[in-house]
Structures are given as structure tokens and as C-alpha cells.
Amino acid sequence: MTAPTTLRVGVIGTGMIGRDHIRRMTTVLSGIAVVAVADVDPAVAERVAAEAGAVAFPDGLDLIAADSVDAVLVCSWGGTHERYVLAAIAAGKPVFCEKPLATTEKACLRIMAAEVAHGSRLVQVGYMRRYDAAYLAMKQLLESGAIGAPLMMHCAHRNAGVPAFYEPENTITDTAVHEIDMVRWMFGSEIAAVRVLRPRASRNAGDLPDPLLIVLELANGVLVDVEISVNVRYGYDIRGEILGEDGTVSLGDPGLISVRRAGRVATPVPADWRDRFGSTYDVELRAWADSVLGGGVSGGPGTWDGYAAAVVSDAAVRALRTGERIEVTLAERPGLY
Ligand code: NAD
Ligand code: ISE
């Protein structure tokens, strides 16, 4: 049998990122057809389906079971991911799940058990920074040995604002979780312990603990500090600098242009994650679709990475609540990963 040349995808969750991924799969990337969509809000699903030329399903589980769907994208709220990822694994269908894989350690372990029982990888998690040109260049430079062995990394993750549904722990589980995954990948080491410090709150913070300073201790001895700010107003600002024994490497300025005018030099700051990581998501979904069309999910962050990020997030939430240093304990890593 010849491999299909077009991947027929069903998308569950047609909110901000669901619609953005549908746009990229229908207008940017070739070889992908969005054939089905589902959302807990049927009116939104119907509208998005009509725009995309897809069929709207009343329930995501029916979408996963449909013969017309080869692979599934889960873009609904984090707490609903487990249900859909487990159903996709049971149906033997590849599933790209937006971060986080699930919102509890136990849910991630259930997904891992189901995938291990299936016997091959079906799950990729949407930790897109691993596909970002700047982070990739930083990792390549680090691995070349040019700055010597890494000692520390300083990160900042600043959002202009966040949706109204944000709860205090979302600053970690929804925002800092990107750095949690990125540093595991960057340094090839698990995170062993976490601390969270709270400076004076921003007057823009509302009820959120904002900003936060998170300290991640890696098992290989590298120390990472992460500033999380979710209401900076001025734009979306993602920073990173690694200190090595012989030098440093930093993420460059993502602005495409520099304007000199009226005695000032100005570089635009991205407005939000779509602006900063737009082309990164293109590369991420291209790689995922190619691996699925090529016969199976390979490479990219998988269930083990989603699980590890969830365990560290849980530890960080405890550190935020208690003010204590919390050690991270992971399950034994199955051979599949
Ligand atoms: P959103 O609120 O804009 O959209 C979520 C959609 O899911 C809504 O339309 C909602 O009605 C729908 N939904 C909720 N429960 C559902 C269910 N049980 N079944 C079907 N549909 C359901 O949120 P968003 O910003 O698009 O975020 C969605 C997911 O994507 C989250 O997990 C978020 O963390 C992740 N995300 C990732 C990135 C990234 O940079 N990788 C960026 C944004 C969001
Ligand atoms: C959002 O869900 C994302 O994943 C973005 O990448 C992140 O920067 C933002 O803080 C989250 O709310």
C-alpha cells in the first residue's frame, strides 16, 4: 500500500490557537486537509467548519472515531486534553496535543500507560520552542562547545496580558511551562528541584501573582532563573541568555526592522505569541505532518516530555504556595521514550 500524500486532520477546540492552526494547515502548509472540527460551543465549530470547508462534529470523541479523520489536533482547554488524547490512542490515530499534555501528573501517567500499551509513539505535544530558529541556533552554538560548559541560564517570559480565565497557577502551568520544557531540551537534563520567589506585585497584576521569579535546578548542575510576567502591557517579550565557562549566548532581537527617526532607534516588540512564534508553529506542524505521513510520530516532544513538564509544573505550583524548595521525582522512563 502506498503512503497517503494528504493528511486528513480533525481539530478539537476552535479557539485562538485552534483557529490559528487551521489557518496554517489550510493556507500555509501543503499536504494537509482539515476535514473535521469540534468545539464544546457548537456555534463556533459550525462557523469555523464553514470557513475551512470542514465538517463540524458535535463531540470531539465522534470526530476522533470518524473514518474521514487520519490524525487529530487537540486545541481545547488543558483540562480536557486527557480525554481526547486517550481516545486517539485507543483508535490508533496520531494526535498532536497543544501544551500542556494534561493538567495533572496522574492524567499524564494514564496517557503514558496507554501509549506504551499501544507499543509505538502516537502523541506529540505542542512545545513549539524546540522548533524555533533562535532557540535552535542557541542550542547548536552551545553544543559546538564555543562557550564551554553551561553554568546558568537567565530567562524572561513576558506577556502583554493574559485571558480573563487566568488563575494564579496558570502563570506556571500555562506560561512558565514553556521554559520548563525548553530547558530540559536545551541542556538534555531533567529538572531536579524548583523554587518560586514573589517580588512586589505589579499594579497591573489583578489577582495574579505577577511577576514571579522561578529557579530551576537541573540534575546536571545548571541553574536557571525564569522571570514570569503576564501583564507587562508593552508587548510579548521572550528572552534567554546562557552563561558558559568561556562566554555567553543570547536570543537575538526578534524584530525584523529597526527604525531610526526623530533622534531615536526603535525595534518593534511582538504583540503576542502568534506574532513572536508564528513561523515556529509553521515549522512545528510541518514536521509533525511529515512524520505522520512518513509512517509514524517521531522526534518532537512526546508523552514523556509532557509528563515531565507537568510534574515540574506541579512542583512549582507547590513551591509558589508554600515558599519552599520542592524536589522533583519522576517515574521510571519507559523504553518507548
Ligand atoms: P481558547 O479559550 O481561545 O480556545 C479553546 C477552545 O476549546 C474554545 O473554543 C472552547 O470552547 C474549546 N473547548 C473547551 N473545552 C472543550 C471540550 N471539552 N471539547 C471541545 N472543545 C472545547 O484557548 P487557546 O488560547 O486557544 O488555548 C487552547 C490550548 O492551546 C490550551 O491548552 C493552551 O495552553 C494552548 N496554547 C498553546 C500555545 C502555544 O504557544 N503553544 C498558545 C496558546 C494556547
Ligand atoms: C499561551 O497559552 C502560550 O502557550 C504562550 O506561548 C504563552 O506565552 C502564554 O503565556 C500562554 O498563555
Side-chain angles (χ1 to χ4, degrees):
M1 204 176 85
T2 51
T5 51
T6 299
L7 186 65
R8 299 172 307 165
V9 171
V11 179
I12 301 172
T14 52
M16 278 192 294
I17 202 152
R19 287 201 297 270
D20 199 44
H21 283 331
I22 290 170
R23 175 196 59 75
R24 98 177 5 94
M25 289 188 289
T26 51
T27 66
V28 181
L29 305 176
S30 60
I32 308 176
V34 177
V35 296
V37 304
D39 195 285
V40 76
D41 182 340
V44 174
E46 291 285 354
R47 201 182 65 235
V48 174
E51 285 163 11
V55 176
F57 280 73
D59 190 314
L61 295 181
D62 297 329
L63 175 153
I64 293 168
D67 287 337
S68 58
V69 170
D70 301 322
V72 180
L73 230 76
V74 177
C75 300
S76 49
W77 296 321
T80 70
H81 291 180
E82 177 192 8
R83 174 178 193 247
Y84 296 127
V85 173
L86 284 176
I89 294 171
K93 294 188 180 181
V95 52
F96 178 97
C97 179
E98 259 310 334
K99 44 70 54 174
L101 174 60
T103 45
T104 67
E105 175 177 355
K106 282 194 176 141
C108 292
L109 285 171
R110 285 191 286 270
I111 292 171
M112 193 145 55
E115 194 175 38
V116 168
H118 172 78
S120 62
R121 273 193 62 188
L122 286 172
V123 180
Q124 178 161 334
V125 187
Y127 287 118
M128 76 297 181
R129 293 191 184 185
R130 297 176 181 223
Y131 295 91
D132 183 64
Y135 279 110
L136 282 164
M138 183 180 239
K139 185 168 167 63
Q140 197 180 22
L141 187 285
L142 180 66
E143 290 175 352
S144 76
I147 60 163
L151 304 169
M152 295 180 70
M153 182 168 188
H154 310 291
C155 305
H157 185 158
R158 300 187 186 134
N159 287 233
V162 283
F165 66 73
Y166 245 62
E167 300 283 345
E169 63 269 23
N170 289 131
T171 52
I172 291 166
T173 57
D174 201 53
T175 297
V177 74
H178 280 290
E179 274 77 15
I180 289 172
D181 178 70
M182 182 274 294
V183 301
R184 292 181 57 253
W185 164 79
M186 179 68 70
F187 298 108
S189 175
E190 295 295 355
I191 293 165
V194 54
R195 271 174 283 198
V196 180
L197 305 175
R198 286 183 71 168
R200 189 170 75 83
S202 158
R203 70 180 159 79
N204 301 323
D207 294 333
L208 298 174
D210 176 18
L212 290 178
L213 184 69
I214 302 177
V215 180
L216 303 170
E217 295 173 33
L218 272 64
N220 67 0
V222 170
L223 206 59
V224 179
D225 59 85
V226 187
E227 173 210 312
I228 297 294
S229 299
V230 293
N231 284 294
V232 293
R233 307 278 170 94
Y234 72 83
Y236 183 78
D237 202 1
I238 301 297
R239 296 176 178 222
E241 180 188 43
I242 298 173
L243 170 71
E245 287 171 337
D246 303 320
T248 71
V249 55
S250 308
L251 297 175
D253 205 313
L256 295 178
I257 54 171
S258 171
V259 182
R260 284 161 197 267
R261 194 179 153 271
R264 297 263 188 282
V265 181
T267 309
V269 178
D272 61 17
W273 39 269
R274 282 169 291 208
D275 205 3
R276 166 64 181 82
F277 288 110
S279 56
T280 307
Y281 300 114
D282 294 348
V283 177
E284 174 191 43
L285 282 193
R286 174 77 276 152
W288 173 71
D290 285 348
S291 76
V292 173
L293 284 167
V297 176
S298 58
T303 299
W304 175 261
D305 302 298
Y307 158 75
V311 175
V312 177
S313 289
D314 280 358
V317 170
R318 272 179 62 207
L320 170 65
R321 288 190 186 137
T322 63
E324 289 172 8
R325 172 182 179 274
I326 305 290
E327 294 196 355
V328 174
T329 309
L330 295 178
E332 197 170 324
R333 189 172 178 147
L336 180 59
Y337 312 113

